[in-house]
Amino acid sequence: MMPPDATDPGKPGRRLRVVHCVGFYFPDSTGGTEVYVRDLVTALSAHAIDSTIIAATDGSYNRYTWNGVEVVRYPIDATEIPKVRDRSVRKRRTMFQELVESASPDLFHLHSWTSGAGLRHLRQVARMDIPSVVTMHVPSPICMRGTMLLNDEKPCDGLIDDRRCAQCWALDRGLPAPAAYLLSRLPRWDVSDSVVSRISQRAATMLSARAAAATKARQLRSMATLSERIVAPSEWVRAALAENAIPPEKMVVSGQSASAEFSDRKPRPLEGANRREIVIGFLGRLERYKGADMLVRALELLPPDLPVHLRIAGVGQDARFARRMERAAAKDPRIRLMGLVRHEEVPQFLADIDVLAVPSRYMETGPIVVQEARALGIPVMGAELGGISERVHHGVDGWLLPFDDPRPWAEAIRVAATDRAEVARLSGNMRRTRSIDDVADDMARLYREIMADRSAASRGG
């Protein structure tokens, strides 16, 4: 056998090129996934790993540089096979495959699970014999509801069971409990493309619930088959994958981190000790699943003269929810709606609050904002769910509270507003535990391990 040469992608120290694929990206979207990818590709350069970011768009093909990294945007239909007379493999390549090939990657890293960047894209890369990694930034590959809350009552173990999932999903779609139960006992029909769908799309979707759950299970197995590794940002994600019989050797747990711009900010004790009001901040989408209304409901249980101010930053697409928040702010002068806070403004927003509230009604895989608060020494009031419960330690550096009961939240707010020493103690215990360099270390090690395994298998063959 010949030893690997400098062109061998498995050779230590050899520069690698990775294509990172996302469903959305800057400047159109600035969510946690986009921030993670932006920071990761920058940090990977120190590991001799070059990156190209490709992202779906509702518009047309576009190419630009963002944060010093090349970004290519492709249209949603980029995976469609071109209609040509020539049946050769080259002529039958999709625009997406041509785009990936043009970057000459050693490895493909998928960060989304959407129609614009998901299973279809993973399959097309596998046909090109390029090894892939998938990071599960959201619960959607496992959960039809998208929240990982079983019947909206408690955390789900993640096992995709078509009857249980169909019933849970039907409840989320507004069916009464008896009807949801009966629907989950129907045969596993798929009538989404039938005469039923032409009469009532809603009825067809409901009747196909068990089939949809079974499809989700198959898609998850396909993800595991087509990728070399699945990266779980939290331990609960790994456990949920294991429930679905994903092999342990396929899974890697690698937590997220605050952005590099938080590195030079020292954790500080409670600021504004002479200020009359404690400031509690919320930063996230104004959607029900993010739970900003929980804070409003908690505030309604407290005396109006309690020295607390609530700053709610974010926007959303749920007009009804937004109107509820606007009405609450109009009634209570302690509530201030901040609107959109751009990611470059997040450090200042966090620096101006005393406590961060993360009342999510779903199993977060992070969230990154908790890591950002940790870097700044800001204690967190968080829902006792998912990644939040893995990153906040109740009574040590924050509060872990029920996701569905405003009364404990009200009590935590009362303590924060009346006991400055307690907030200062929690703040002092908030320590940065992870940096973006740690994340890059994990991914660089993973990439090189995959390439080394491939190289060894190739030489052995």
Side-chain angles (χ1 to χ4, degrees):
M1 280 187 298
M2 296 292 293
D5 59 23
T7 64
D8 186 345
K11 185 174 182 179
R14 185 259 198 195
R15 292 198 75 85
L16 296 181
R17 174 162 287 280
V18 178
V19 165
H20 298 265
C21 182
V22 284
F24 311 92
Y25 202 63
F26 295 94
D28 303 338
S29 179
T30 58
T33 299
E34 294 80 57
V35 171
Y36 174 95
V37 172
R38 182 203 65 181
D39 294 345
L40 174 62
V41 298
T42 299
L44 283 173
S45 62
H47 294 266
I49 297 174
D50 301 319
S51 301
T52 296
I53 297 170
I54 61 174
T57 176
D58 291 332
S60 58
Y61 176 89
N62 189 21
R63 185 184 295 266
Y64 56 91
T65 299
W66 191 269
N67 205 43
V69 176
E70 181 183 37
V71 180
V72 182
R73 307 298 296 270
Y74 58 86
I76 294 295
D77 63 357
T79 52
E80 296 296 326
I81 297 174
K83 296 179 180 179
V84 294
R85 291 178 181 274
D86 191 324
R87 306 296 293 180
S88 70
V89 173
R90 169 62 58 185
K91 293 294 184 180
R92 300 283 289 174
R93 283 281 176 90
T94 67
M95 176 193 291
F96 181 79
Q97 288 175 311
E98 296 283 1
L99 180 59
V100 171
E101 186 177 58
S102 68
S104 301
D106 298 295
L107 190 139
F108 177 83
H109 194 154
L110 181 65
H111 296 271
S112 299
W113 201 247
T114 65
S115 58
L119 182 57
R120 179 180 296 184
H121 305 76
L122 196 62
R123 282 183 175 140
Q124 292 198 354
V125 171
R127 293 188 189 114
M128 300 168 70
D129 198 31
I130 299 172
S132 295
V133 171
V134 178
T135 294
M136 257 187 62
H137 291 282
V138 294
S140 57
I142 294 176
C143 180
M144 291 173 66
R145 184 186 276 244
T147 64
M148 290 290 294
L149 292 182
L150 183 60
N151 302 329
D152 207 30
E153 296 174 348
K154 61 181 181 180
C156 182
D157 60 13
L159 175 64
I160 303 176
D161 174 271
D162 58 12
R163 286 187 170 179
R164 185 176 70 161
C165 292
Q167 181 176 352
C168 180
W169 177 85
L171 288 170
D172 188 48
R173 291 301 185 274
L175 257 67
Y181 174 82
L182 289 174
L183 182 143
S184 71
R185 264 54 190 173
L186 293 174
R188 195 186 292 176
W189 294 327
D190 184 355
V191 296
S192 56
D193 186 20
S194 68
V195 66
V196 177
S197 66
R198 290 191 287 276
I199 296 172
S200 171
Q201 187 61 52
R202 175 177 167 81
T205 302
M206 290 292 181
L207 291 173
S208 301
R210 282 191 64 189
T215 296
K216 184 164 286 290
R218 288 195 299 272
Q219 291 173 340
L220 184 64
R221 290 193 295 270
S222 293
M223 176 201 287
T225 300
L226 295 169
S227 62
E228 301 291 329
R229 301 288 190 282
I230 301 174
V231 179
S234 291
E235 174 58 30
W236 79 259
V237 179
R238 185 211 61 77
L241 291 170
E243 285 287 337
N244 290 281
I246 303 302
E249 63 272 17
K250 281 277 187 176
M251 300 182 286
V252 175
V253 177
S254 175
Q256 302 149 334
S257 166
S259 299
E261 57 259 38
F262 291 84
S263 300
D264 297 331
R265 295 173 178 268
K266 297 179 180 178
R268 82 290 189 251
L270 178 65
E271 293 180 351
N274 296 323
R275 190 180 62 229
R276 180 175 178 271
E277 295 178 328
I278 282 284
V279 178
I280 296 175
F282 168 90
L283 182 64
R285 293 187 65 80
L286 286 191
E287 309 276 357
R288 182 183 181 277
Y289 71 93
K290 282 293 188 177
D293 59 319
M294 176 66 76
L295 304 175
V296 172
R297 292 166 62 198
L299 212 55
E300 290 172 347
L301 300 175
L302 295 167
D305 60 347
L306 188 74
V308 62
H309 189 79
L310 177 60
R311 295 179 184 171
I312 297 176
V315 295
Q317 296 181 330
D318 187 336
R320 181 184 297 180
F321 188 88
R323 286 194 296 270
R324 284 174 54 196
M325 300 303 294
E326 290 166 1
R327 287 195 296 268
K331 286 170 48 180
D332 193 334
R334 296 173 296 179
I335 302 172
R336 180 183 174 192
L337 300 182
M338 309 285 292
L340 177 66
V341 171
R342 300 188 182 280
H343 190 259
E344 60 269 21
E345 301 168 336
V346 169
Q348 189 57 56
F349 174 84
L350 293 177
D352 289 341
I353 67 175
D354 302 307
V355 175
L356 174 71
V358 191
S360 300
R361 286 193 185 93
Y362 84 114
M363 300 275 278
E364 299 265 12
T365 62
I368 290 177
V369 71
V370 170
Q371 299 287 35
E372 293 168 342
R374 181 174 291 283
L376 298 181
I378 301 170
V380 173
M381 287 181 189
E384 194 171 8
L385 288 173
I388 301 170
S389 63
E390 294 182 29
R391 290 162 175 79
V392 178
H393 307 93
H394 185 74
V396 177
D397 49 24
W399 298 261
L400 286 174
L401 305 163
F403 72 93
D404 56 355
D405 186 353
R407 290 168 295 181
W409 288 85
E411 175 59 18
I413 293 172
R414 186 196 65 77
V415 170
T418 58
D419 191 344
R420 301 295 179 91
E422 174 65 1
V423 178
R425 181 185 72 81
L426 296 173
S427 174
N429 290 335
M430 244 328 185
R431 298 278 194 277
R432 174 189 285 275
T433 58
R434 192 162 171 80
S435 72
I436 192 61
D437 289 334
D438 294 325
V439 179
D441 287 348
D442 287 350
M443 292 301 101
R445 190 180 310 113
L446 176 61
Y447 296 160
R448 294 199 181 278
E449 177 183 302
I450 291 170
M451 300 311 299
D453 287 349
R454 278 225 160 189
S455 180
S458 176
R459 293 196 304 274

